[in-house]
Amino acid sequence: MSQMPQQTALSRCPSCEEPLESGDRFCGACGYDLSAVPAPPGDHPTIAMNGGTPPPPDGAPAVPPRPPLAGSPQPPFAGSPMSPASGVRFDRAPEPDEYPLQAPDPRVTADVPTPPEGVKVCVACRAGRVDSDGYCENCGHAQPRERDHMEQDIGPVAAVSDRGLRHHRNEDAFGLGCAALPDGSAAVVAIVCDGVSSATRPDDASLAASRAATETLLAALPHGTHPQQAMHDAIIAASQAVNALAEEPATAREHAPHQNAPACTLVGAVVTSGLLVVGWIGDSRAYWVPVDRSAPPARLTEDDSWAAQMVAAGLMNEAEAYADERAHAITGWLGADAYELEPHTASFKPDRPGVVLVCTDGLWNYAEAAEEMAEVLPLDAAVRPLHSARVLVGHALDGGGHDNVTVAVVPFPAPPQGAGSA
């Protein structure tokens, strides 16, 4: 009996190099059609005995050097999520350069009927039905997740979060809210969290932290708790929420060697009619930009990071420290394996109207100095916070979008209760 030729099993996806299992037809990370992988080339040597690279066979194009696999040895400080000697966590997991969508085969999609109205249709082939796992039944592509791009506008404050152009999921999260203080005035709350990519379930960690911190603030402020104390308590509550994830069965199922417990950073702001309070842990930041741009902007937070420690110790200037590959190794975070939780809080009484920006490093990597951030921020940010958040996220994406990008825009002072609050 004749048999169909069997294709050699692949151990990694040819597109994104994610590990594959036996029998996979599509890559679970990027949706690459594994049946379309071309036959392996002839057995031509690629390395000469003297260490050089021999010329390609007659008629064959030159083959560029293959990039290292995701599991291959990395340079120092790049492969380990945590350095035992320094207690530093490296918030960067190996990522492929891109997650391309493979074009669907028109011979396959031509005869596929259009799904009934109300049925989710694949964004790649525009014809296939999307199953409950989020994959197209026709072309196999993974569909965009709900958190890939999020926007919220509740009047006096707005936020935008985007997956970016390089990561396969959005590990950022945010929370917004408004509360009435005991004197009847308004308080506006914004929380932004960034999941630590080298940890287990970083997306769940950021979501749990942002929700816990926001809920704690909105519950405490109406009862007269001082905003700075409320912010401190909110960070503690966020830490407890992230710690609880480490005990869940889902964490045990996803845990892999050399991965740490779920973890994230946090930055938040509370704005009232006369007070501005910020709180943070990690390297997410808050910036102040006055409405009158002739006045100087300012960064309101100090990073818990390797780079910040080098600058504080006088060993490097800021430009040198943040150009180093270890710059984003964080020294403070929320998570069950954090060495010691030390929430940072600060309060300010601005003498003029302005805008507070709370953001992840996916944004400030492209506008690090306060002056650079102010230059990108639209002049009408105080009255159009959602538009301004979109502009800022767009700036990061235009710059390369190498990380998830999240920013909340909070005008100061908070409007009177009932005037634009939600």
Side-chain angles (χ1 to χ4, degrees), residues 112-134:
V112 178
T114 302
E117 186 176 354
V119 175
K120 189 173 181 181
V121 179
C122 174
V123 299
C125 69
R126 302 292 182 183
R129 185 195 307 263
V130 178
D131 64 21
S132 58
D133 292 329

Side-chain angles (χ1 to χ4, degrees), residues 232-254:
H232 180 276
D233 296 344
I235 297 176
I236 298 295
S239 175
Q240 294 170 347
V242 177
N243 292 351
L245 294 178
E247 306 300 325
E248 293 183 358
T251 301
R253 287 196 300 269
E254 293 189 20

Side-chain angles (χ1 to χ4, degrees), residues 87-382:
V88 172
R89 162 169 283 166
F90 297 94
D91 185 16
R92 286 294 178 276
E95 291 282 351
D97 287 341
E98 295 185 45
Y99 290 89
L101 282 177
Q102 181 189 8
D105 188 341
R107 296 169 296 179
V108 177
T109 61
D111 299 329
V112 178
T114 302
E117 186 176 354
V119 175
K120 189 173 181 181
V121 179
C122 174
V123 299
C125 69
R126 302 292 182 183
R129 185 195 307 263
V130 178
D131 64 21
S132 58
D133 292 329
Y135 291 85
C136 176
E137 294 177 347
N138 173 51
C139 69
H141 283 304
Q143 304 300 295
R145 299 174 176 85
E146 181 181 358
R147 287 176 63 178
D148 281 357
H149 185 86
M150 302 179 291
E151 297 186 357
Q152 187 177 5
D153 182 2
I154 62 172
V157 58
V160 174
S161 181
D162 193 271
R163 185 188 71 179
L165 304 179
R166 301 295 176 127
H167 280 247
H168 70 281
R169 65 181 174 187
N170 190 356
E171 297 168 357
D172 291 354
F174 64 81
L176 307 177
C178 298
L181 300 178
D183 63 1
S185 62
V188 179
V189 171
I191 297 290
V192 167
C193 296
D194 183 357
V196 176
S197 296
S198 58
T200 309
R201 301 172 65 193
D203 52 336
D204 292 336
S206 63
L207 185 61
S210 62
R211 286 177 174 173
T214 304
E215 291 169 0
T216 300
L217 285 167
L218 295 179
L221 292 171
H223 290 91
T225 305
H226 189 277
Q228 190 166 359
Q229 180 62 49
M231 179 63 76
H232 180 276
D233 296 344
I235 297 176
I236 298 295
S239 175
Q240 294 170 347
V242 177
N243 292 351
L245 294 178
E247 306 300 325
E248 293 183 358
T251 301
R253 287 196 300 269
E254 293 189 20
H255 188 77
H258 310 299
Q259 275 193 306
N260 302 104
C264 68
T265 68
L266 180 149
V267 64
V270 176
V271 168
T272 70
S273 60
L275 187 67
L276 161 61
V277 170
V278 296
W280 73 97
I281 187 82
D283 63 349
S284 294
R285 293 181 176 181
Y287 291 86
W288 163 258
V289 181
V291 170
D292 178 6
R293 297 299 175 88
S294 64
R299 195 174 99 198
L300 305 178
T301 56
E302 292 291 338
D303 299 343
D304 291 318
S305 70
W306 179 92
Q309 286 189 344
M310 294 298 102
V311 174
L315 301 177
M316 291 183 175
N317 62 40
E318 194 166 269
E320 293 171 338
Y322 283 100
D324 193 283
E325 63 181 0
R326 297 164 288 184
H328 289 275
I330 55 176
T331 57
W333 61 87
L334 303 178
D337 57 4
Y339 288 97
E340 185 176 354
L341 178 62
E342 296 182 0
H344 311 293
T345 61
S347 62
F348 306 88
K349 292 185 177 180
D351 59 358
R352 65 196 68 203
V355 172
V356 184
L357 307 176
V358 289
C359 64
T360 61
D361 60 347
L363 172 60
W364 66 252
N365 276 332
Y366 301 97
E368 187 173 321
E371 293 76 14
E372 294 174 312
M373 192 69 74
E375 186 176 346
V376 179
L377 185 69
L379 295 174
D380 58 355

Side-chain angles (χ1 to χ4, degrees), residues 149 151 159-160 385-395 407 409:
H149 185 86
E151 297 186 357
V160 174
L386 179 59
H387 167 73
S388 300
R390 289 170 174 166
V391 170
L392 291 169
V393 169
H395 174 75
V407 61
V409 179

